[in-house]
Amino acid sequence: MGMGSGAASAPGGGGPTGANLGAVRSHNAALVLGLLRDAGADGISRLELAERTGLTPQAVSKITARLREEGFAAQAGLRASTGGKPRTVLRLVPEAGHAVGVHLDRDELRVVLVDLDGAVVGERRAGLDLGAGAESVLGTVAGAVEGLVGDGLGLDDDGLAGVGTLLGVGVALPGPLDHTSGVLHRMTGFPEWDGFALRDVLGARLGVPVVVDKDTNAAALGLSAGGEGGSFAYLHLGTGLGAGLVIGGRVHRGPRTGAGEFGHQVIQLDGPPCECGDRGCVEALCLAAVGRGEPAEAARVLGVAAANLVGLLDIDVVLLGGRTITGEPEVFVRGVGEVLDARARREGALGAEVPVRVAAGGERAVAEGAAQLLLRPLFGRGDA
């Protein structure tokens, strides 16, 4: 279960590889497993599975038999049928699989262990200096991941690779980066990470599949998996500012993972310098206002940038997250909302009112979304 090109690319091809995941490696099995998860504790019958997947009843019976044999599905009871014998209803077994989500921030590490339902069953936090060098940072990450999994699931001499239910580790951190190769680019304030192959290096160290994405994309994925529908923007204001975009129910990353570099749009020509090298970036303006103790001003600036995004993409809702937001959520929801409402009034019939609210998950949203980078493909969801 070592980290190689096959393991790394698995999330794009139907699911990561794991010790006990033979039953769910096919696309059809992933679809069935996804419907089992969606059905919740009430479960779903084989006939309903066949109707919703378009598979034959015989194919569904074979798939569900394998899922039950390997512990991913169990009988949830019987359901009355019209005229025939009662139908067996099946449900997902959440503890049959686990994923780790890692949020690497500039000054903090958060790691969560989740089951197949996405429920958090363990969490660790630690201080972190992203500028301390790769060896120090990866040592901290590896120690936290191994400690968390050891506490929750147990470790033997094979380490993480010996944990049969572990799908792998999803890592989310500030961009820019290439999520397909797991290679970092020139992160604002941390140029030493430019070109670092985080996915491969960390995967080799941990001995399990690793997937890497931007923090904002991971959070957006987690929100979508949690039921947030339509097209939305997740705006993350913490030590930096970025956006995760879901368009038509799918995370929009762009061909170079370049979408959502929201913080470095210039909204004040010849404004204050930004660490990216430009001037008047919304990130610099927001963080400067926060530093002056003026969160309402930061919210207004964020609202102006959000209005640009809404006008460009015609999205349905704006979700706010990140530690700066969660510190004073009412101020930011009100400030951003007022700017968007003013825009809607100016545009009349063309300006739809766009609701603004704090994203679910709070400060765990990025870490939980990072775990979904492993879970979504397992359930036949290709947006991870």
Side-chain angles (χ1 to χ4, degrees):
M1 200 168 158
M3 184 64 192
S5 59
S9 62
T17 56
N20 295 332
L21 299 177
V24 292
R25 284 180 182 149
S26 77
H27 175 67
N28 289 340
L31 294 179
V32 169
L33 198 67
L35 290 172
L36 287 171
R37 187 197 60 175
D38 294 345
D42 293 337
I44 186 171
S45 71
R46 293 182 182 87
L47 180 59
E48 290 171 301
L49 288 169
E51 290 172 347
R52 296 187 190 183
T53 60
L55 299 171
T56 66
Q58 294 84 356
V60 168
S61 292
K62 289 181 180 179
I63 290 170
T64 54
R66 292 200 304 274
L67 291 175
R68 293 185 67 178
E69 181 182 344
E70 298 201 12
F72 288 94
Q75 185 169 324
L78 298 174
R79 183 179 298 167
S81 64
T82 55
K85 64 180 182 178
R87 297 174 186 163
T88 299
V89 180
L90 301 174
R91 64 172 178 85
L92 178 72
V93 179
E95 62 270 22
H98 297 86
V100 173
V102 175
H103 179 190
L104 263 178
D105 208 344
R106 293 170 173 87
D107 60 359
E108 184 181 69
L109 171 69
R110 186 185 296 265
V111 184
V112 298
L113 179 67
V114 307
D115 64 17
L116 292 181
D117 269 336
V120 175
V121 297
E123 178 178 6
R124 283 197 174 194
R125 293 175 63 188
L128 185 76
D129 178 5
L130 202 55
E135 184 59 33
S136 173
V137 170
L138 296 190
T140 301
V141 172
V145 170
E146 290 166 351
L148 180 62
V149 174
D151 288 347
L153 305 176
L155 290 179
D156 57 22
D157 292 341
D158 291 328
L160 295 179
V163 182
T165 68
L166 185 63
L167 304 173
V169 177
V171 181
L173 72 164
L177 55 83
D178 183 342
H179 84 282
T180 58
S181 66
V183 174
L184 309 185
H185 297 322
R186 188 173 290 273
M187 192 186 317
T188 302
F190 299 91
E192 66 271 21
W193 286 98
D194 188 17
F196 187 79
L198 178 62
R199 183 195 70 185
D200 291 349
V201 174
L202 184 59
R205 183 161 188 159
L206 296 178
V208 296
V210 169
V211 186
V212 173
D213 206 345
K214 289 199 297 191
D215 47 10
T216 49
N217 289 343
L221 180 70
L223 292 167
S224 181
E228 191 68 52
S231 299
F232 65 86
Y234 167 76
L235 308 183
H236 184 95
L237 180 59
T239 56
L241 174 63
L245 305 174
V246 172
I247 309 297
R250 296 177 66 88
V251 177
H252 177 68
R253 296 179 175 87
R256 291 166 294 278
T257 326
E261 290 298 320
F262 175 80
H264 298 294
Q265 57 175 304
V266 174
I267 63 171
Q268 182 181 338
L269 292 177
D270 300 322
C274 179
E275 288 191 18
C276 74
D278 215 329
R279 302 181 70 90
C281 293
V282 61
E283 176 178 295
L285 295 169
C286 272
L287 294 179
V290 170
R292 294 192 303 268
E294 300 177 3
E297 172 64 13
R300 189 184 71 82
V301 172
L302 184 60
V304 170
N308 291 341
L309 190 61
V310 169
L312 185 66
L313 298 178
D314 194 19
I315 57 178
D316 301 316
V317 62
V318 171
L319 304 175
L320 306 179
R323 75 176 75 161
T324 303
I325 300 288
T326 56
E328 299 194 63
E330 298 85 1
V331 173
F332 280 94
V333 169
R334 182 172 60 250
V336 174
E338 287 174 352
V339 177
L340 291 180
D341 289 346
R343 172 187 173 274
R345 289 194 298 272
R346 286 195 307 272
E347 296 187 356
L350 294 177
E353 291 189 8
V354 176
V356 179
R357 61 177 184 269
V358 174
E363 292 189 20
R364 285 201 317 211
V366 173
E368 291 185 41
Q372 288 292 336
L373 293 167
L374 279 300
L375 293 181
R376 293 285 281 181
L378 186 71
F379 295 110
R381 309 304 203 253
D383 55 351

